[in-house]
Amino acid sequence: MYVAVKGGEAAIENAHRLLAEKRRGDPAVPELTTEQIAEQLSLAVARVMAEGSLYDPDLAALAVKQARGDLIEAIFLVRAYRATLPRFGNTLPIDTATMAIERRISATFKDLPGGQLLGPTFDYTHRLLEPGAVTDGTRQPVAEAPVDADADAEPIPRVTDLLGRDGLIEPEVDGLDRPVGDLTREPLSFPADRDLRLQALARGDEGFLLALGYSTQRGYARSHPFAGEIRMGEVEVELDVPELGFAVSLGRITVTECQMVNQFKGNAEQPPQFTRGYGLAFGHAERKAMAMALCDRALRARELGEELTAPAQDEEFVISHSDNVQATGFVEHLKLPHYVDFQAELGLIRQLRAEHEAREAGDGTREAAE
Amino acid sequence: MSDVPILVAEGVTKHYGARLGCRDVGFELWPGEVLAVVGESGSGKTTLLNCLSARLRPTTGSIRYRMRDGAMRDLYTLEEAERRRLMRTDWGFVHQNPADGLRMTVSAGANVGERLMALGERHYGHIRDTALSWLERVEVATDRIDDDPRGFSGGMRQRLQIARNLVTRPRLVFMDEPTGGLDVSVQARLLDLLRGLVGELGMAVVIVTHDLAVARLLSDRMLVMKDGRVVESGLTDRVLDDPHAPYTQLLVSSILQA
Amino acid sequence: MTAPAYNFAYLDEQTKRMIRRAILKAVAIPGYQVSFASREMPMPYGWGTGGVQVTAAVIGPDDVLKVIDQGADDTTNAVSIRAFFAKVADVATTTRTEEATIIQTRHRIPEAPLHEGQILVYQVPIPEPLRFLEPRETETRTLHALEEYGLVHVKLYEDIARHGHIATTYAYPVMVEGRYVMDPSPIPKFDNPKMDHSPALQLFGAGREKRIYAIPPYAQVVSLDFEDHPFEVQTFADPCALCGATGVYLDEVILDDRGGRMFVCSDTDYCEGRRGEAEA
C-alpha cells in the first residue's frame, strides 16, 4: 500500500511507452511524415518556429509530430533544443523593404506603389467545411505567379517609409547605445528597453498577445490603430564576417511583418504625428504579427507620456506572463506532489479548528455561568 | 515654537510641459505651526503640496527640511533611502481619499502598526497596545482593531489614516483636503479631532484645502493661491478678517454670502 | 537529421560559467537574489529547471548525486531528474544522504545532518519573499535594497491577530546574515532551523524567475517572528509508524475510506536507514 503512493522508474517507463503508442495512433492508419507536416500544416510549423525562436521548418515539423500536435509542447521541444546551440555571431538586421513579397496589404491606402497583393489568405474564404476541396489531391492552377524573388526587382517601399517622407509618422530610430539585447542570454530586468520587449513579444504566446491586443481595441489603452501594412515573404539573412570584410548570405527565410500606424496627439515637445507599433514573426503568421504590433504600441505608453491605465500597457505584467513555455510549466507543476506543504497546511487547519472548537466550548460555559 | 524653521521653500516652480503648476512659491514653516494653503481647484495647491512632500520634483527652486540631527537638507538631493525613511518616520501624509493612504485588505491594527514594524518594533503585544491606544485617540471603536477598513465608514477610514500616520510621532504632516468628501457633521468631528491632536503633539502641518472654515479652525498662517501663484499670505485671522488681495476679498465674501 | 550531441551535464561550458558567476555572487551576498540568464531546459519550468541548472553548473564527474522530492528519492520527479543526470553526466547516484556530495531537493531538507563539502541545491518556484505582499519586481527590489521589511511583519501580525499565532507553515521567510529577507523555497517551516549555521553550502535556483541565491556554510539564518510570538516548528503527536522516529517530519498516509491513516517519515532514506539498523 505504502509503495503505491510513490511513483517509480517503472511507472515512468510505462507512461513513456503508452505515450509512444498513443502518438502513433491506430497502426492501420498511415503514419504522418515530417515532410507532410512541414508542407501541409505549415502554419502550425510557422507558429512553432516563431514562438520557439528557431527558424528550422524540419525540426519544427518533427516537434509538432513528437508533441502529437500540441503546439505549446512542440514550442517547448524546440526551445530546449535551441538553448543548447552554440552562438556563432549575430546576423545583420533583415531588410523587409527588399522582401520577395508573397502577400502585401495596406488598410490605410487604397492603392500605393507596389500595389496590394492578397497572396495565400483565409481572409475572403467562406468558412464552410469542404472535405472535397482539401482532400482532392489535384492542384488548381494559380492564376498569377507569386512575385519573383528577383534581386533586380524594384524594392516595394513600406507604407511607413511613405508616411515618414512627409514627417507624418515618428521616425524609427536606433536609440540604442549598446548591442541589441537578447533575453535568452542575459536576464531581463524591468523597465526593459524596446528591443527586449519586442524580442519577448516575438517569442510570446499568440493567444495571450491576441487577447491583449484585442483589449486595447476595446478601450483598455485605446491606440487608434490602422494596419498600415502587412507584408509576408522571403528575406535574405546575412552574417557579417569580419575576416572577409563583407557580409555573406546565409539563405532566405519567410517572415511576416506588421506595421501598425497609431494616432498620437502630440505634446509640448512634439507636434501631432502618427506613432508606430511593430510586429514580426517567422513564417506566415499574420495574427501573431498584428497582435504583437498592438502590444508593442501599448507598451510604449510610458515613453510617449501616456497615462498608464490598462493591462496591455503594463510592461511587467505583459512580459512576465507572455511566455507560454514558462506559463505552461508553472501551471502544470501543480501536478507535482505537494504533500509536504499540504501536510503543513493540514496540520494548521486541524489546529485552528481545534482552537475554534475550544473557544466555542469556552464561550458556552461562560455564558452558562453568567 | 522653536527659533529655527523646519521647512524652507524658495522659488518653487513646477511646469507640466507648457502648463504651469505653481510659480515662485516661498515660505518658512516653523515647528508646531499649521500652514493652510487655500485656493480653488486648479490653483496649484496640490502641485505645491506634492513638491513640498518630496513626491514631485519642482522644475526650479529648492525645498529644505531640518532633519532630526538639526541639519538643513535639500529634499531633492536626499538619497532614495533617506527620503523613504523620512516619509515613514518623521513625516505623515494624509490623503483626501483614505484608500490611497491605507492598506485596505489589512486589519486596522496592522494599518496602525505597520510604521512601528518598519522601524524594527518586534513585540506583537506592544504593537497591538499602541494600535489600541491610537484607535481610541482617533475615536475608532477598539473592538474594530481586527477588521479591515473596507467595512469602515468614510469618517472612520479617515481617522484610521490619521492614526496610521501619527503613530511614529512625525514632526511634519502633510494633509490634502482631509475633510473633503465627508458629510458636514462628520467633517466637524474630524476637524475637532485634528485640532486636538495637532495641539497635543506639537507637530507642524501643511494642509491644503479649498474650505476657508477648515483653514480658520486649524491653521496659524495661510497662503492664498490663484493660477499657480501665492496672491496673499499672513496670519490666518488677519487674512480672513482683513484680506488685502482682491482675489482673497472675493473668496472671503463669497463664503460669507453662502 | 543527425542526433544532436550534448555537453557533459547537458549545458554548454559558456552557460555553466555564466551560472557559476551568478552562484559566486550569490555566495558573496548571502540571501540576495542574483538574476541569471536561465536557459530553457528539457523539463518544464516549475519542475526544477532552476535546481537542475545549478546542479549542472557545479557537478563534476566525481560527484555523487542524490535527488529528492518531498523528502523521498522515489517520487516521480526525483526519479526523472536523477535519471537525467545519470544520462547526461554519467555520475554516480545515491539515495544515502551521507554519501552524496550534491543533493538536489524539492520541498525538504534531509533529516540526517549535512556535513562540510556537501552542496544542497533547492528548486525554487517563487524566489521573492515579498511577492505576495507586493507583486512588482521593481518595487520589491527597492524594498530589499533599502531593507524595508515592515511588510513581512504586517503579514505575520495579521496571522496572529486572526489566528492567535503565526499561520505560515511552509516557505516561511528568513533573515540571512542580518541583511536580506529570503524565501527558503516551499520547505515546511519544520526544516527552517536546519538552514542556520549549516556546514553545507546551500544553493537556490529559480529557473522560470531567473534567480539564484545562496546561504554559505555556517551563515546565520533566522526565521522571522515577534519577541512574544517566537518562531516554532511543527510537532507530531505520534512517531513514524514504520521506523518509530520522533522529531522528524511526517507524511500522512490515508489507509482506507473510513478515516484510517498513519504517519510515516517524509525522508525515505532516513526511514529506511533506521529500519535497516533495527533489523541488524
Side-chain angles (χ1 to χ4, degrees):
Chain A
M1 174 285 317
Y2 176 55
V3 174
V5 179
K6 315 269 182 177
E9 275 164 66
I12 294 181
E13 271 172 32
N14 284 333
H16 290 174
R17 271 204 297 275
L18 263 176
L19 175 64
E21 199 178 301
K22 282 284 178 195
R23 179 187 296 123
R24 177 59 185 87
D26 183 350
V29 176
E31 183 175 345
L32 262 179
T33 68
T34 52
E35 290 78 14
Q36 287 169 341
I37 295 171
E39 287 300 317
Q40 297 170 32
L41 297 178
S42 59
L43 298 186
V45 168
R47 181 170 176 198
V48 171
M49 292 195 301
E51 292 169 34
S53 294
L54 186 71
Y55 194 94
D56 188 326
D58 296 336
L59 277 183
L62 172 63
V64 170
K65 182 179 178 185
Q66 190 177 326
R68 302 173 62 194
D70 177 341
L71 293 191
I72 292 182
E73 180 69 24
I75 289 160
F76 182 13
L77 286 168
V78 168
R79 289 262 196 101
Y81 175 67
R82 178 190 186 273
T84 67
L85 295 177
R87 188 72 51 107
F88 298 121
N90 295 321
T91 61
L92 299 178
I94 57 170
D95 183 4
T96 53
T98 61
M99 176 185 280
I101 285 179
E102 280 182 60
R103 169 166 166 79
R104 188 268 193 133
I105 55 164
S106 169
T108 50
F109 296 102
K110 186 175 182 186
D111 197 11
L112 66 173
Q116 307 250 22
L117 183 65
L118 279 185
T121 177
F122 291 122
D123 284 353
Y124 304 102
T125 62
H126 295 143
R127 267 61 167 205
L128 303 171
L129 287 169
E130 292 175 289
V134 294
T135 54
D136 183 1
T138 59
R139 289 176 73 124
Q140 304 220 347
V142 176
E144 190 186 343
V147 173
D148 196 29
D150 183 356
D152 300 329
E154 194 70 12
I156 296 176
R158 289 169 296 211
V159 166
T160 44
D161 298 337
L162 301 174
L163 288 168
R165 221 162 283 158
D166 301 330
L168 293 172
I169 191 164
E170 56 172 347
E172 195 70 281
V173 287
D174 174 11
L176 290 180
D177 49 7
R178 54 167 175 77
V180 173
D182 180 352
L183 59 84
T184 69
R185 296 280 140 168
E186 291 296 327
L188 186 66
S189 64
F190 297 108
D193 287 337
R194 192 170 173 214
D195 56 332
L196 288 164
R197 287 203 308 254
L198 284 169
Q199 186 190 10
L201 294 175
R203 290 160 58 86
D205 183 75
E206 179 174 312
F208 182 71
L209 300 188
L210 178 67
L212 281 173
Y214 176 47
S215 74
T216 68
Q217 289 181 280
R218 291 193 64 257
Y220 291 85
R222 190 152 175 236
S223 64
H224 304 271
F226 297 94
E229 178 170 346
I230 294 159
R231 57 169 63 193
M232 183 271 288
E234 285 193 341
V235 290
E236 190 103 33
V237 179
E238 292 176 313
L239 182 72
D240 201 13
V241 183
E243 290 84 350
L244 295 178
F246 55 87
V248 292
S249 171
L250 300 178
R252 304 176 74 84
I253 63 173
T254 299
V255 296
T256 307
E257 180 185 61
C258 172
Q259 301 241 27
M260 286 288 178
V261 175
N262 301 271
Q263 217 179 64
F264 178 60
K265 288 196 269 295
N267 57 28
E269 285 90 43
Q270 289 161 306
Q273 63 181 174
F274 290 113
T275 55
R276 298 165 187 254
Y278 188 76
L280 184 81
F282 285 153
H284 188 182
E286 203 160 295
R287 185 187 301 119
K288 170 65 184 277
M290 293 179 78
M292 175 176 169
L294 289 173
C295 290
D296 171 47
R297 177 60 185 78
L299 289 174
R300 296 181 59 209
R302 196 186 308 273
E303 167 202 342
L304 295 170
E306 294 168 337
E307 206 187 346
L308 304 182
T309 55
Q313 297 169 307
D314 187 329
E315 173 185 283
E316 265 202 66
F317 180 80
V318 174
I319 304 296
S320 300
H321 302 113
S322 61
D323 190 300
N324 54 25
V325 177
Q326 289 175 10
T328 198
F330 202 47
V331 167
E332 294 196 52
H333 110 287
L334 293 173
K335 294 183 282 193
L336 285 180
H338 283 79
Y339 26 81
V340 162
D341 296 343
F342 188 70
Q343 188 65 55
E345 290 292 83
L346 205 55
L348 177 66
I349 291 247
R350 282 185 180 134
Q351 182 189 351
L352 293 176
R353 289 177 63 87
E355 285 167 4
H356 179 78
E357 226 162 81
R359 262 199 310 277
E360 294 276 293
D363 285 351
T365 47
R366 202 164 59 238
E367 271 164 31
E370 275 163 6
Chain B
M1 283 190 203
S2 112
D3 54 354
V4 280
I6 189 168
L7 188 76
V8 178
E10 277 173 341
V12 175
T13 300
K14 174 68 192 174
H15 291 283
Y16 301 98
R19 199 163 57 79
L20 177 69
C22 63
R23 171 169 293 176
D24 202 21
V25 180
F27 65 87
E28 291 181 341
L29 182 72
W30 302 79
E33 185 187 27
V34 179
L35 175 74
V37 180
V38 302
E40 301 165 317
S41 58
S43 63
K45 56 191 193 304
T46 299
T47 295
L48 177 64
L49 187 74
N50 286 334
C51 289
L52 296 175
S53 56
R55 295 157 164 264
L56 183 69
R57 180 183 286 274
T59 315
T60 56
S62 78
I63 298 150
R64 287 173 301 140
Y65 176 71
R66 186 169 302 283
M67 309 291 276
R68 280 197 196 239
D69 64 5
M72 279 311 265
R73 298 282 304 274
D74 188 314
L75 287 182
Y76 291 92
T77 63
L78 291 179
E79 297 281 333
E80 168 92 351
E82 294 176 300
R83 199 172 56 82
R84 287 172 75 124
R85 174 160 275 270
L86 258 191
M87 284 187 164
R88 65 173 196 263
T89 56
D90 230 15
W91 287 6
F93 195 107
V94 178
H95 297 262
Q96 174 172 5
N97 178 2
D100 294 340
L102 292 172
R103 289 193 190 280
M104 295 303 284
T105 57
V106 156
S107 72
N111 262 295
V112 178
E114 179 171 351
R115 279 178 161 227
L116 300 173
M117 291 184 259
L119 290 180
E121 173 62 74
R122 293 291 176 264
H123 191 286
Y124 175 82
H126 293 167
I127 295 164
R128 199 165 171 85
D129 289 346
T130 310
L132 280 170
S133 86
W134 268 101
L135 290 182
E136 229 169 318
R137 283 176 97 155
V138 299
E139 298 164 19
V140 170
T142 50
D143 62 0
R144 303 298 300 270
I145 186 168
D146 293 330
D147 297 341
D148 72 47
R150 283 176 300 189
F152 287 11
S153 69
M156 275 170 78
R157 287 180 184 185
Q158 198 53 290
R159 296 199 298 278
L160 179 63
Q161 189 191 187
I162 289 163
R164 172 178 162 87
N165 272 281
L166 300 192
V167 65
T168 51
R169 305 255 171 178
R171 296 194 301 148
L172 173 58
V173 178
F174 300 96
M175 299 186 188
D176 186 9
E177 304 272 10
T179 57
L182 297 176
D183 293 343
V184 177
S185 63
V186 178
Q187 269 188 33
R189 187 171 160 205
L190 188 72
L191 280 174
D192 263 0
L193 176 75
L194 275 177
R195 192 156 68 148
L197 287 172
V198 166
E200 197 181 321
L201 300 173
M203 59 202 179
V205 177
V206 176
I207 180 170
V208 157
T209 179
H210 68 280
D211 187 343
L212 294 183
V214 170
R216 164 87 82 184
L217 200 65
L218 285 182
S219 69
D220 304 306
R221 223 152 40 99
M222 57 190 283
L223 304 179
V224 181
M225 291 189 73
K226 182 178 190 304
D227 299 333
R229 293 161 211 263
V230 175
V231 294
E232 182 158 9
S233 65
L235 292 174
T236 300
D237 289 340
R238 200 282 296 157
V239 172
L240 292 181
D241 296 337
D242 178 23
H244 296 178
Y247 176 72
T248 317
Q249 289 166 358
L250 188 75
L251 211 61
V252 171
S253 65
S254 69
I255 295 293
L256 290 179
Q257 282 158 9
Chain C
M1 269 181 279
T2 51
Y6 294 105
N7 190 30
F8 173 80
Y10 187 76
L11 295 173
D12 60 281
E13 293 303 315
Q14 247 182 325
T15 298
K16 286 188 194 172
R17 274 198 290 278
M18 176 273 293
I19 296 173
R20 287 178 199 140
R21 277 196 294 272
I23 293 173
L24 285 175
K25 185 170 175 185
V27 170
I29 316 171
Y32 172 77
Q33 300 167 51
V34 180
S35 46
F36 79 112
S38 176
R39 298 290 193 258
E40 260 102 3
M41 297 300 286
M43 55 276 290
Y45 284 113
W47 298 55
T49 54
V52 168
Q53 288 181 77
V54 169
T55 298
V58 298
I59 203 166
D62 300 330
D63 272 307
V64 180
L65 177 70
K66 171 181 165 80
V67 183
I68 51 173
D69 188 340
Q70 314 294 302
D73 297 90
D74 59 352
T75 38
T76 44
N77 204 42
V79 168
S80 161
I81 290 172
R82 194 168 51 240
F84 174 72
F85 280 109
K87 183 174 171 187
V88 299
D90 195 26
V91 292
T93 60
T94 183
T95 59
R96 307 285 303 158
T97 300
E98 297 78 31
E99 289 169 9
T101 56
I102 299 174
I103 302 170
Q104 180 167 331
T105 179
R106 177 167 172 264
H107 295 192
R108 275 309 311 273
I109 298 175
E111 304 290 0
L114 301 178
H115 53 76
E116 278 186 16
Q118 286 185 311
I119 302 178
L120 186 59
V121 178
Y122 296 75
Q123 300 171 200
V124 180
I126 304 274
E128 178 51 72
L130 308 172
R131 175 65 66 241
F132 299 110
L133 304 165
E134 169 54 60
R136 281 182 186 283
E137 184 71 28
T138 34
E139 179 64 14
T140 54
R141 285 187 91 76
T142 308
L143 295 177
H144 282 295
L146 303 179
E147 273 187 272
E148 282 187 21
Y149 291 132
L151 258 187
V152 188
H153 274 88
V154 167
K155 161 78 171 67
L156 299 179
Y157 172 98
E158 287 289 272
D159 276 0
I160 302 174
R162 192 160 303 139
H163 306 298
H165 44 77
I166 294 170
T168 302
T169 57
Y170 62 92
Y172 190 106
V174 294
M175 171 71 84
V176 182
E177 285 285 297
R179 175 58 182 85
Y180 284 100
V181 168
M182 188 196 92
D183 183 307
S185 88
I187 57 171
K189 66 177 179 177
F190 180 88
D191 286 337
N192 273 22
K194 297 177 189 162
M195 289 186 287
D196 185 33
H197 288 92
S198 169
L201 170 63
Q202 302 173 75
L203 302 176
F204 298 77
R208 190 178 40 79
E209 300 275 342
K210 303 179 174 56
R211 295 289 184 276
I212 285 172
Y213 51 102
I215 304 173
Y218 301 108
Q220 184 200 51
V221 179
V222 179
S223 301
L224 299 180
D225 60 3
F226 287 105
E227 288 157 21
D228 49 342
H229 284 267
F231 172 78
E232 284 172 349
V233 299
Q234 293 105 330
T235 53
F236 293 86
D238 298 313
C240 169
L242 296 176
C243 76
T246 56
V248 295
Y249 197 80
L250 301 177
D251 279 347
E252 182 171 342
V253 180
I254 309 281
L255 295 174
D256 52 43
D257 57 2
R258 298 178 304 278
R261 61 169 75 96
M262 68 172 183
F263 288 87
V264 298
C265 282
S266 130
D267 183 338
T268 49
D269 169 58
Y270 184 77
C271 195
E272 278 159 23
R274 280 179 52 89
R275 279 181 282 155
E277 277 169 32
E279 278 167 29

